[in-house]
Structures are given as structure tokens and as C-alpha cells.
């Protein structure tokens, strides 16, 4: 779409009235218009600078976004409104901006807390690094939320923020009490966007407590809610959330459909709003043993996450990378990557971020503890991880491509191979010739898509065959 055939005045009005269906996703869909604007057009319609700025943020080009900010004085109200969504903005500056905006009665007319992923404390910005501070200054947080967004959203946003923070710290009872109360009390338009986040968190808490057998049930509630409210911000992620939930119970056909039809294309224009969906796609790649594809997405994400100081997302991504490395038997690289996660997670209390990987993380975590030794943090972490693995043993279990079925004899051969038995010994155990043993090994290798005994044993373990 060329800017010459676009009504720029109409586009400027869309930015002014974000609540009227034109949110971050709408601005992203019009990105070609914004990126083609001339200096003359930006001077004639200065509000369009905001649309260009938002697209640079979503694209991850923070340097160019900062250049746009320099067009305005540091206390210019327009600059301040844009600065609030700048990833990695220092907390001191964040407070300065809010105070100045309150003084001049400048409000933002949309709630974007959950933009990019269904969580309130890690939307456009990563607030998790400030969680202990914000918890101690609840009144200040509530005042800021009430001022920035239409309606009395402050108390609900603050309770949801605390619920998410308690959940990360594995304080499940406290988190559950808060989130259940939030869901019961939501009753106005200003709070409806937060309900998606609350429903998502409620399901994660129930899964962690072992009280929900099918996480996919959450999707039905969200689809019903989204159909009623028509909120594009969260409906954008529903299909990805469904694919993610399906991975816990091994409903890989759901995840496969999403992967082939609705997953973001890592070779197309990258958008930070797709971050949650990319994390789900990495998990789908892991299930399908497409480890290099998972690593490729992660390496594209890394500089963008580092630039935005998104520590929680970096931890999640590196955790999935560690699983990839461990499954490809690169143990030292897996341990190094896990250590990077553990340093941040221990300091910030990200217990659930790790424990929620359950059956996928547990073998790596146990191997790491055997090699590196126990610590109180690791002991507590492995206990929570083991609980989730017991409830959802199929989570991220590799797909047996082609649906190959192994005979009892082939399974027995694999078990003896695991013990280090030779072809000669196998021939004696089963009263067959060594050529027959080789024949069975050839079939086993084909079914597992491997070429050596060592790889066959490794893949058989991952698939749960032995």
C-alpha cells in the first residue's frame, strides 16, 4: 500500500482513537504506509510519527525509534506518551513521565498490558525486574494505572500483577486466591482486556496444582469471551495458546495444524507482537525434532530481546534452547545455556518459568544436578518440575514420525543395547544369527531415523520406548 493513495488524515484519526478497533495490530498491518511517509507528510500530520514509532518498536528497531523521540523536547507530551511503550525504559524515567502526564491530564485510551503475550507483567515492557519494588508501592502503581487507562482499572491490574508475580515465585495458593477474585469481579469495559490474562493465568495455576486434566478447556472460555468482546489484541494469540495447551496432553494434531497454517513466519517481517507465538513455534519445532529450526528462531530473537531488556523472555528462550541441545546430546552446551537461565531465574524468583517446562526440562535438570551438584534453589526447582512432569508426561515428547510401531523383540533389543550389549551377545540371548540381529537393527534405525547404536538408544529414551 502506498502512502500516496492513503487518506493520511483518516489514518491520523485512527491513531487518536485507538479504542475504536485500531490497536497495535492495526498499526502493524498499516506499517508499509508508515514506513513510506515523507518528511513533508510527517510535518503535515505529526500524529503519524506515533504510528511510525510504534511500528519501529514492534519491528525491534529501537535505535530508529529513539531517533524519532529526539524530534521532540524531553517534556513534550507527545514524546512522553510514546516513551511509555519504549522497551527497557528506566523506572525513574517511567515515573517522571507518568507524573508529568498526570499534571497535564494526558491519558492513553487503550490497555496494552498484554500486547505480545497473555501476561500483564511482561507485555510491551518487561516489568518483572521491578516486581519486588512495585509490590511494595502498590498505591503508586494503582494511581498510575487508573490515570493512564480509562476507568478504574488500577486495583484489578495491580492484583493481577501480584498474582502473576506470586505464581512465578511458586506461591500458588496466594496467586490462585487473587486471580479467582479478579475473574469474579471483572464487570466493566476497561477491565475486559485483563480478563484474557486472568483466564490464562488461572489455567496455568490449575495445571501447576494438578487440578486441571485438560488445559485445552481454557481455550473454550477464551474463545467464548473473545467472540463476545471482539478484542483483537488477545484474540490474536488464541490459536497459539491452543497449540501450546495441546502440547501438554500430546494432542499434536492441533499443534501441527497451527504450525502449518497460523504460526508466524520467521522469514517474513518480524514483529514483537508475535513473540508469544514464536515461543510456541519453538516448542512445536522441538516436538517435531526440528532442533536447528528452533535454534534459528531463537538466534533471530536474541538481539531484539537483549535490546529491550526482556529478561524473562530471554530466560524462556534459553531454556528451550537448552532442551534442544540436550536432546541432540550436546550436554555441555545444554548445561552452559541452562546455567545462564539459572543465574537470572534464581535472582528474580522465576521458579514457574522453569518448572512449567515439566517433562521437557526434568531429564536435563537431573543430569545437570548430577554433574554440578545440588543447591537449595535447584532442589526446590526440581521438585516443582517433577510434579508437573508427573501430571503431563507427554509435554514436548518428540513425535515418532510416521507412527512407527516397535515389536516386542525390537524393544528388547533396544533395552540390551542400552546396557552396551554387542551384536554377538544379542544373537546368543535371542537364539538368532548375527545377520538377523543386523536385520533388526536396520529396521530399528529406519524407524528412529538414526544411523548408530548410540543415536538409537538416545532417541528411544526420548520417545519413551525404553
Amino acid at each position: 500500500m502506498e502512502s500516496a493513495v492513503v487518506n493520511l488524515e483518516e489514518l491520523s484519526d485512527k491513531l487518536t482513537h485507538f479504542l475504536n478497533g485500531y490497536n497495535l495490530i492495526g498499526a502493524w498491518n498499516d506499517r508499509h504506509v508508515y514506513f513510506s511517509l515523507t518528511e513533508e507528510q510527517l510535518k503535515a500530520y505529526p500524529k503519524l510519527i506515533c504510528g511510525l514509532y510504534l511500528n519501529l518498536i514492534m519491528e525491534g528497531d529501537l535505535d530508529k525509534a529513539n531517533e524519532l523521540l529526539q524530534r521532540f523536547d524531553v517534556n513534550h507530551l507527545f514524546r512522553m506518551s510514546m516513551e511509555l511503550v519504549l522497551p527497557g525504559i528506566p523506572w525513574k524515567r517511567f515515573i517522571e513521565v507518568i507524573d508529568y502526564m498526570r499534571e497535564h491530564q494526558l491519558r492513553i485510551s487503550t490497555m496494552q498490558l498484554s500486547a505480545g503475550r497473555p501476561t500483564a507483567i511482561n507485555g510491551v515492557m518487561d516489568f518483572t525486574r521491578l516486581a519486588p519494588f512495585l509490590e511494595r508501592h502498590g498505591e503508586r502503581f494503582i494511581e498510575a494505572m487508573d490515570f493512564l487507562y480509562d476507568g478504574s482499572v488500577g486495583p484489578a491490574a495491580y492484583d493481577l500483577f501480584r498474582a502473576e508475580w506470586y505464581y512465578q515465585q511458586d506461591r500458588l495458593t496466594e496467586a490462585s486466591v487473587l486471580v479467582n477474585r479478579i475473574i469474579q469481579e471483572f464487570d466493566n469495559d476497561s477491565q475486559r482486556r485483563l480478563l484474557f490474562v486472568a483466564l490464562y493465568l488461572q489455567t496455568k495455576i490449575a495445571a501447576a496444582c494438578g487440578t486441571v486434566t485438560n488445559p485445552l478447556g481454557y481455550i473454550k472460555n477464551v474463545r467464548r469471551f473473545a467472540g463476545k468482546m471482539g478484542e483483537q489484541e488477545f484474540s490474536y494469540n488464541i490459536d497459539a495458546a491452543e497449540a501450546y495447551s495441546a502440547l501438554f496432553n500430546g494432542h499434536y494434531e492441533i499443534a501441527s495444524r497451527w504450525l502449518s497454517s497460523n504460526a508466524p513466519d520467521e522469514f517474513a517481517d518480524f514483529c514483537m507482537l508475535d513473540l508469544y507465538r514464536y515461543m510456541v513455534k519453538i516448542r512445536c519445532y522441538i516436538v517435531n525434532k526440528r532442533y536447528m529450526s528452533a535454534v534459528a528462531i531463537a538466534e533471530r530473537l536474541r538481539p531484539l530481546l537483549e535490546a529491550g531488556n526482556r529478561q524473562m523472555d530471554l530466560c524462556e528462550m534459553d531454556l528451550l534452547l537448552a532442551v534442544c541441545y540436550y536432546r541432540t546430546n550436546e550436554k555441555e552446551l545444554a548445561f552452559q545455556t541452562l546455567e545462564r537461565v539459572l543465574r537470572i531465574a534464581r535472582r528474580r524468583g522465576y521458579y514457574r518459568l522453569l518448572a512449567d517446562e515439566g517433562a521437557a526440562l526434568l531429564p536435563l535438570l537431573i543430569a545437570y544436578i548430577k554433574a554440578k551438584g545440588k543447591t537449595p534453589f535447584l532442589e526446590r526447582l526440581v521438585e516443582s518440575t517433577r510434579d508437573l512432569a508427573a501430571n503431563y508426561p507427554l509435554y514436548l515428547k518428540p513425535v515418532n514420525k510416521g507412527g512407527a510401531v516397535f515389536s516386542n523383540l525390537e524393544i528388547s533389543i533396544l533395552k540390551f543395547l542400552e546396557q552396551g550389549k554387542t551384536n554377538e551377545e544379542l544373537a546368543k540371548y535371542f537364539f538368532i544369527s548375527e545377520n538377523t540381529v543386523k536385520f533388526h537393527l536396520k529396521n530399528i534405525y529406519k524407524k528412529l531415523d538414526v544411523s548408530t547404536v548410540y543415536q538409537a538408544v538416545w532417541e528411544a529414551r526420548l520417545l519413551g520406548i525404553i
Side-chain angles (χ1 to χ4, degrees), residues 266-267 270 278 282 285 290-303 317 321 324-325:
E266 59 263 41
F267 301 106
F270 179 80
Y278 274 120
I282 289 174
Y285 277 159
R290 295 174 61 181
Y291 302 117
M292 291 305 297
S293 296
V295 172
I297 291 179
E299 292 312 312
R300 184 174 182 189
L301 286 174
R302 187 178 303 283
M317 186 187 73
L321 279 182
C324 287
Y325 297 142

Side-chain angles (χ1 to χ4, degrees), residues 76-175:
H76 194 289
L77 297 183
F78 199 42
R79 170 172 175 163
M80 289 191 164
S81 65
M82 293 194 295
E83 226 177 326
L84 280 178
V85 297
L86 182 66
I89 180 176
W91 175 243
K92 182 179 179 181
R93 178 58 181 166
F94 186 81
I95 290 296
E96 287 177 355
V97 170
I98 290 177
D99 286 343
Y100 197 88
M101 290 176 72
R102 290 179 68 189
E103 181 182 346
H104 292 79
Q105 290 299 302
L106 177 69
R107 291 181 182 273
I108 297 176
S109 60
T110 187
M111 172 66 74
Q112 294 292 352
L113 284 178
S114 59
R117 59 184 298 150
T119 167
I121 59 175
N122 198 1
V124 177
M125 292 180 288
D126 184 352
F127 279 106
T128 57
R129 70 191 190 280
L130 301 169
F133 175 85
L134 294 178
E135 189 180 15
R136 293 194 305 269
H137 297 80
E139 291 185 3
R140 187 72 184 83
F141 181 93
I142 291 171
E143 288 175 1
M145 292 299 102
D146 275 344
F147 174 74
L148 285 175
Y149 305 111
D150 292 338
S152 300
V153 74
Y158 181 63
D159 281 347
L160 183 54
F161 162 80
R162 285 196 299 151
E164 288 190 308
W165 182 237
Y166 292 159
Y167 177 75
Q168 280 303 323
Q169 294 177 308
D170 216 14
R171 295 158 63 181
L172 300 181
T173 300
E174 294 168 272

Side-chain angles (χ1 to χ4, degrees), residues 261-273:
S261 59
N262 293 324
D265 181 1
E266 59 263 41
F267 301 106
D269 291 342
F270 179 80
C271 177
M272 287 299 286
L273 295 183

Side-chain angles (χ1 to χ4, degrees), residues 409-417 426 430 440-441 444:
L409 177 59
E410 289 171 334
I411 293 172
S412 296
I413 289 174
L414 280 165
K415 288 180 178 178
F416 279 118
L417 290 175
L426 289 173
F430 294 102
H440 288 300
L441 286 177
I444 290 171

Side-chain angles (χ1 to χ4, degrees), residues 79 87 131 144 216 233 368:
R79 170 172 175 163
L216 281 170
E233 303 100 304
Y368 180 83

Side-chain angles (χ1 to χ4, degrees), residues 200-306:
Y200 184 82
L201 180 58
Q202 185 186 52
T203 302
K204 290 179 75 70
I205 294 170
C209 294
T211 58
V212 58
T213 56
N214 183 12
L216 281 170
Y218 143 82
I219 299 298
K220 293 181 180 179
N221 290 333
V222 174
R223 286 199 188 282
R224 191 181 307 117
F225 175 76
K228 181 180 178 181
M229 297 299 181
E231 295 300 337
Q232 192 177 9
E233 303 100 304
F234 50 70
S235 62
Y236 187 66
N237 281 322
I238 291 179
D239 288 339
E242 182 178 43
Y244 179 41
S245 299
L247 296 175
F248 281 89
N249 282 340
H251 294 300
Y252 294 151
E253 70 284 357
I254 296 174
S256 294
R257 284 199 302 270
W258 176 80
L259 189 61
S260 62
S261 59
N262 293 324
D265 181 1
E266 59 263 41
F267 301 106
D269 291 342
F270 179 80
C271 177
M272 287 299 286
L273 295 183
D274 282 328
L275 182 57
Y276 173 75
R277 300 165 77 221
Y278 274 120
M279 293 295 189
V280 175
K281 190 170 189 178
I282 289 174
R283 289 176 171 90
C284 289
Y285 277 159
I286 290 173
V287 164
N288 288 282
K289 296 191 285 188
R290 295 174 61 181
Y291 302 117
M292 291 305 297
S293 296
V295 172
I297 291 179
E299 292 312 312
R300 184 174 182 189
L301 286 174
R302 187 178 303 283
L304 301 172
L305 298 179
E306 289 176 345

